[in-house]
Amino acid sequence: MLRTDLHIKVLLEHGDDENPQKLALEICRQLLKIYSVRAAEVSNVITEN
C-alpha cells in the first residue's frame, strides 16, 4: 500500500477570544475522525494582526 504526505495550508478567520492553536487541533481531530487518515499534526501557527 502506498503512503502519501499531503501538506495543506489553511487560513482561519477567528475572533480575539478564540485560540488558533485549539482550532488547529480540532481540525486535525476531525481529519482523523472523518477521513480515517493515519496521522494529522499542526506544524506551524502564525497569527497576523
Side-chain angles (χ1 to χ4, degrees), residues 2-21:
L2 297 174
R3 286 190 184 175
T4 302
D5 289 341
L6 178 63
H7 299 265
I8 300 172
K9 180 177 180 177
V10 177
L11 176 62
L12 294 173
E13 291 187 5
H14 57 87
D16 293 338
D17 60 334
E18 293 178 298
N19 182 345
Q21 196 88 11

Side-chain angles (χ1 to χ4, degrees), residues 14-17 19 23-25 28-30 38 42 46 48:
H14 57 87
D16 293 338
D17 60 334
N19 182 345
L23 293 170
L25 292 173
C28 287
R29 190 182 75 77
Q30 290 297 325
R38 184 173 286 274
V42 178
I46 300 171
E48 296 180 13

